[in-house]
Amino acid sequence: MAGRRGATLRAQWLGKHLREYRESAGLTLRQAGDYLQRDIATISRLETGVIPARASDVLALLNLYGVDDHKVRSGLEQLSRDIWRKGWWDGYAADSLGKLFDHAWLEARAKTICCYAAMVVPGLLQTRDYAHAVISAGDADASGEQIERWVEFRMDRQRVLDAETGPRLEIVLDEAVLHRLTGGPGVMADQMERLLEVMARPNVTLRVLPFAIGAHASPEGSFAIFDMPEPYSDATYVETRGGAVYTEAEGAEVFTRAYDSLRNVALTPEDSATVLRNAVNRVGRARNRSVIIPEELAGVAWYISTRSADGGGQCVEAGPLPDGSGRVAVRHSRHPDDAVIVYTRAEWEAFVGGVKDGEFDFPAS
């Protein structure tokens, strides 16, 4: 059974505005309740977002509070309708996504999204394989089916960048992200190629924060800022192990200052593209050489040597990696969790040929 989703950020925003206008008008909860023919508890829940206010109630309360500004009235009416209108994300309501519904709504409504990414590529730019690796590592107890649903949700979120009214996306990407082989060399190379592709889009700007700058304005880690149109307040998002944390209005200012500082010391988009291309080349070389992750060994068919060591052999085993690269992994069969040596196909053939030719028949000491 799906858990209760609780008050959404949208409902909380609307309730906050209604409370502020009521207090400005000098009216009590009882007076507002009498006007709508509701009890005090209901009005309180409307103002805290526990119960989303319907458009008819919002307009009636704005009349009571003497709010005549057309822009304010139409904005709050639209917000009240947004709360009740189903978005594409509602198809995932049973998937334990919690505040990510608010996140998807913020992405769909924002004018600009500014993001500092310290650990992983932002979700809006992730490839499917990269997203799968990130989500799987972040929740090892989740089922394969659940992970696939979360990945699908992340892929669906990316459609916002293709919308005519979609947001502008500005990213400061820590250089460390480019060195972390999330998903392995192949997945990482594809992910960086994806970043180079999206950098050519007019609504995406990416800057790399280089190691060389040393200490910077966000040692705490990643965050995102949503520049929202009226009547919404600007909002910020920080992901923690305990869940998502959103702040708005004045609370967003400290993040804005931090982002401006990071952007000022980051590389230009042009220099960032050069760093990315160099990273693609580096990871591409790693993909063809000796960098592997444990998951890549899962499908290896190991062949045990019967002609090694003095204790009867069978201490060395080798097998081709199943990724089609031609690389060969070699390890100690009695200690499979120890280090693994990986050869390219050419290196392996040269090594085996050298053994057959006696090149490693060292003289006894």
Side-chain angles (χ1 to χ4, degrees):
M1 179 182 296
R4 292 184 60 187
R5 286 169 56 183
T8 67
L9 193 64
R10 290 160 280 171
Q12 292 171 356
W13 272 345
L14 179 58
K16 176 186 175 183
H17 283 293
L18 292 176
R19 184 185 71 252
E20 290 174 348
Y21 284 123
R22 176 181 60 78
E23 292 175 347
S24 296
L27 297 175
T28 65
L29 287 171
R30 181 178 298 280
Q31 288 172 311
D34 289 344
Y35 187 78
L36 286 185
Q37 297 183 338
R38 310 282 176 82
D39 57 33
I40 294 176
T42 298
I43 301 301
S44 178
R45 292 190 182 98
L46 291 177
E47 293 186 350
T48 57
V50 174
I51 300 176
R54 294 192 177 276
S56 57
D57 290 338
V58 169
L59 293 176
L61 288 173
L62 292 178
N63 290 337
L64 175 64
Y65 303 154
V67 179
D68 297 323
D69 187 292
H70 175 73
K71 192 172 185 180
V72 170
R73 291 176 64 90
S74 61
L76 292 180
E77 180 185 6
Q78 181 61 51
L79 178 54
S80 66
R81 297 188 188 281
D82 279 349
I83 294 171
W84 292 96
R85 180 180 294 119
K86 282 185 173 291
W88 62 263
W89 47 82
D90 285 287
Y92 296 88
D95 289 291
S96 303
L97 290 166
K99 289 189 175 182
L100 277 177
F101 288 105
D102 283 327
H103 199 91
W105 179 81
L106 285 170
E107 289 170 342
R109 283 290 181 185
K111 295 186 296 182
T112 303
I113 303 171
C114 297
C115 174
Y116 168 55
M119 301 298 292
V120 298
V121 172
L124 287 178
L125 300 183
Q126 291 178 5
T127 64
R128 179 177 292 274
D129 289 341
Y130 185 94
H132 192 281
V134 170
I135 293 172
S136 299
D139 196 339
D141 295 329
S143 67
E145 181 181 358
Q146 183 63 76
I147 289 173
E148 287 300 327
R149 286 287 288 170
W150 289 339
V151 170
E152 196 63 38
F153 180 74
R154 186 163 297 183
M155 295 300 101
D156 279 345
R157 280 171 47 205
Q158 296 179 0
R159 293 183 299 175
V160 71
L161 294 178
D162 297 322
E164 291 185 5
T165 58
R168 175 172 180 78
L169 181 62
E170 292 191 11
I171 295 171
V172 173
L173 185 71
D174 200 291
E175 187 177 357
V177 176
L178 305 180
H179 289 266
R180 183 171 292 108
L181 294 179
T182 301
V187 170
M188 195 63 200
D190 291 342
Q191 176 60 71
M192 289 190 288
E193 291 280 9
R194 163 72 172 159
L195 293 179
L196 285 169
E197 291 173 3
V198 298
M199 287 180 72
R201 301 177 62 155
N203 61 332
V204 176
T205 301
L206 188 148
R207 297 176 175 86
V208 172
L209 185 70
F211 287 139
I213 65 116
H216 56 73
S218 187
E220 302 85 1
S222 306
F223 61 87
I225 305 169
F226 298 89
D227 178 18
M228 304 294 289
E230 293 184 359
Y232 315 119
S233 302
D234 291 346
T236 59
Y237 161 80
V238 177
E239 186 172 354
T240 73
R241 177 55 63 183
V245 177
Y246 292 93
T247 58
E248 59 176 308
E250 294 80 5
E253 292 179 1
V254 64
F255 291 95
T256 300
R257 289 195 298 270
Y259 182 82
D260 289 342
S261 176
L262 293 167
R263 182 176 55 191
N264 289 339
V265 296
L267 300 176
T268 65
E270 294 75 19
D271 289 342
S272 297
T274 299
V275 170
L276 270 170
R277 284 191 287 269
N278 290 339
V280 169
N281 292 334
R282 182 186 70 248
V283 174
R285 290 194 299 271
R287 174 163 48 180
N288 296 323
R289 291 183 63 82
S290 59
V291 179
I292 61 172
I293 58 174
E295 288 82 356
E296 291 184 279
L297 299 177
V300 173
W302 295 100
Y303 296 84
I304 300 178
S305 169
T306 59
R307 302 178 62 85
S308 58
D310 296 329
Q314 298 186 349
C315 65
V316 175
E317 58 185 3
L321 294 181
D323 60 2
S325 66
R327 295 181 297 164
V328 177
V330 181
R331 70 184 183 185
H332 197 304
S333 63
R334 297 174 186 173
H335 303 283
D337 294 329
D338 286 353
V340 176
I341 301 173
V342 180
Y343 297 93
T344 65
R345 172 60 66 177
E347 290 169 341
W348 175 248
E349 291 176 351
F351 173 72
V352 172
V355 171
K356 290 179 178 179
D357 293 341
E359 293 179 9
F360 300 103
D361 293 341
F362 303 121
S365 57

